[in-house]
Amino acid sequence: MEKFKEILTELESKLNNVNSLNELVEIRNEYLSKKGIVSSLMSKMKELTVEEKKTYGKEVNELKTSVEKLISEKQIKVNEIEQEKRFKEEKIDISLPPISHHVGKENPFYKIIDEIEEIFIGMGYKVEKGPEVDKDHFVFELLNIPKDHPARDMQDTLYIDNETLLRSHTSAVQAHVMQKEGGKPIKIICPGKTYRRDDDDMTHSHQFAQVEGLVIDKNINLGNLKATLELFAKKMFSKDSKIRFRSSYFPFTEPSVEVDVSCFNCHGKGCNICKNSGWIEILGAGMVHPNVLKMNGYNPEVYSGFAFGIGIERVAMLRYGIDDIRRFYQNDIRFIDEFNKKVED
Ligand code: DAH
């Protein structure tokens, strides 16, 4: 029936404009309630003949089904729209303001170790590790410091038992590496902590750190040592740094030297950093003593070598202008922050 088609088309276009449940309920009432369009069309049945009832009844029932279908399909869509709207309207921010975390920064102590390692790796050195709790044998005996040697007095330390102690210098690593390499050439550095009886003040601490260096090969001489340390000083302090040797004594080197670097602050004129001398002492070094080579499996007639020991905190204090050695160990975050700011600037 034409009229029914029109009713459906009209319903479709009305439904197209529906966006809310309320509007849809109104339309459902208009079409499907007791007094709605479909019911009133159905109630016309009683005015028809039996024959007419058959076709009309069928058509009107189909109309009812189509109307119900259109409305329930729209209902699904409207539900989705309504839900979407509610999600938007009822959205609440459940997040709290973030807790700010303190981002850790590197202690200058470790910064300087990285820098020293980088300089020596650039010269072809390998970085070794050695034990902090070590044996008398490695710390002293194999370095030409026998039991009753007076040089032991300068390096008193904490003993765990008669033979076991907190190492008083990283030089012990020289013996470990020589024993390990068994007569082969060596070119290593080893940074690490050391322990020694000392008065704790602005420049001394019972715990401090050193970088040990050891080179063993054929034809190694004092000139090689000087060139190596001068390059180190230039890279660490200033392009125009110079070094000088002063003769000294260590039982494990012969000859032995104390090494000074020209003052990078006043360039030799004299200032408070270099105590007006123009020079700053930075390390001890020397040619590996033939006894040490022999005791550790190297023939001193064939091999020679040099060794050096650099005080890490001393270099860091000079390099970064730090006034008190104790600051390295106090874990004061303000110091570390302040220091990092200075370096980044
Ligand atoms: N081990 C020495 C010390 O702690 C420093 C040192 C001096 C290391 C001379 C060396 C060296 O390798 O050749 O005082």
Side-chain angles (χ1 to χ4, degrees):
M1 275 181 143
E2 273 316 300
K3 197 176 168 219
F4 289 180
K5 268 195 195 144
E6 272 170 36
I7 291 173
L8 280 178
T9 336
E10 199 187 46
L11 173 63
E12 270 172 344
S13 77
K14 276 186 190 165
L15 286 175
N16 274 341
N17 295 322
V18 164
N19 283 313
S20 73
L21 218 49
N22 286 346
E23 289 167 325
L24 191 66
V25 170
E26 264 174 43
I27 289 180
R28 172 180 282 127
N29 288 340
E30 190 186 340
Y31 284 80
L32 295 173
S33 68
K34 274 186 194 156
K35 288 186 183 153
I37 294 172
V38 174
S39 294
S40 67
L41 287 171
M42 284 187 150
S43 67
K44 291 221 169 85
M45 292 269 277
K46 51 186 185 287
E47 297 158 22
L48 302 177
T49 64
V50 175
E51 209 45 39
E52 282 169 334
K53 268 185 191 162
K54 268 193 194 160
T55 40
Y56 184 84
K58 188 171 164 257
E59 301 266 346
V60 88
N61 268 333
E62 275 173 13
L63 173 73
K64 190 185 174 198
T65 315
S66 302
V67 169
E68 282 171 348
K69 189 166 169 248
L70 283 173
I71 290 179
S72 64
E73 276 171 5
K74 185 69 189 188
Q75 167 109 41
I76 294 171
K77 278 195 193 128
V78 168
N79 280 347
E80 277 169 13
I81 295 169
E82 293 265 322
Q83 197 180 41
E84 202 56 38
K85 225 161 72 185
R86 275 182 50 208
F87 280 159
K88 272 192 195 136
E89 281 169 8
E90 292 172 15
K91 194 165 164 191
I92 49 164
D93 183 2
I94 54 162
S95 58
L96 285 169
I99 301 161
S100 63
H101 293 282
H102 185 93
V103 179
K105 306 217 176 67
E106 207 176 13
N107 191 303
F109 177 78
Y110 290 103
K111 268 182 193 284
I112 210 79
I113 292 179
D114 284 351
E115 273 188 54
I116 295 173
E117 284 185 3
E118 215 158 283
I119 293 171
F120 281 103
I121 287 170
M123 292 193 248
Y125 283 69
K126 243 172 64 184
V127 180
E128 282 284 348
K129 277 202 178 107
E132 281 176 36
V133 179
D134 209 342
K135 294 287 175 193
D136 182 287
H137 189 58
F138 287 97
V139 179
F140 298 126
E141 302 267 343
L142 289 174
L143 293 177
N144 207 26
I145 314 174
K147 285 265 188 292
D148 52 357
H149 197 288
R152 286 194 178 213
D153 288 354
M154 295 187 297
Q155 298 201 7
D156 198 8
T157 181
L158 284 167
Y159 282 75
I160 282 94
D161 59 40
N162 278 347
E163 291 301 320
T164 318
L165 61 150
L166 292 182
R167 71 176 172 198
S168 54
H169 55 179
T170 47
S171 299
V173 178
Q174 290 189 27
H176 282 288
V177 175
M178 281 190 257
Q179 303 275 336
K180 191 175 80 180
E181 292 301 325
K184 289 203 288 280
I186 293 171
K187 195 172 180 185
I188 61 105
I189 56 159
C190 171
K193 288 182 190 142
T194 49
Y195 305 82
R196 200 180 291 184
R197 201 217 73 79
D198 218 331
D199 294 325
D200 285 358
D201 60 23
M202 280 172 70
T203 50
H204 297 89
S205 162
H206 61 279
Q207 180 204 306
F208 58 106
Q210 297 180 324
V211 177
E212 194 73 17
L214 177 67
V215 174
I216 296 182
D217 211 331
K218 289 172 185 157
N219 303 319
I220 298 293
N221 58 42
L222 206 61
N224 300 138
L225 173 64
K226 191 159 189 208
T228 302
L229 294 177
E230 194 153 275
L231 194 56
F232 166 71
K234 283 188 197 306
K235 295 212 171 187
M236 179 54 73
F237 298 111
S238 155
K239 279 201 287 286
D240 56 10
S241 285
K242 288 186 189 61
I243 58 161
R244 75 173 181 189
F245 283 175
R246 278 179 294 111
S247 64
S248 182
Y249 171 76
F250 300 103
F252 36 92
T253 44
E254 181 59 37
S256 302
V257 289
E258 300 275 357
V259 182
D260 299 337
V261 61
S262 56
C263 181
F264 47 85
N265 188 47
C266 66
H267 302 276
K269 285 191 209 89
C271 68
N272 58 346
I273 291 182
C274 60
K275 299 188 185 110
N276 282 322
S277 71
W279 295 94
I280 302 166
E281 185 189 326
I282 55 162
L283 58 95
M287 298 306 292
V288 181
H289 197 290
N291 286 353
V292 174
L293 287 171
K294 243 186 276 172
M295 278 189 281
N296 290 287
Y298 286 76
N299 180 354
E301 301 295 326
V302 181
Y303 282 101
S304 54
F306 64 72
F308 54 87
I310 308 173
I312 292 180
E313 289 89 344
R314 175 138 180 82
V315 171
M317 286 168 82
L318 292 167
R319 173 82 160 68
Y320 298 126
I322 295 165
D323 58 344
D324 190 330
I325 195 170
R326 290 166 290 200
R327 293 195 194 283
F328 291 108
Y329 322 118
Q330 282 163 340
N331 275 339
D332 185 337
I333 288 172
R334 289 168 306 176
F335 163 68
I336 294 169
D337 280 352
E338 192 52 39
F339 170 82
N340 276 276
K341 249 189 257 156
K342 239 203 255 171
V343 169
E344 279 154 21
D345 280 349

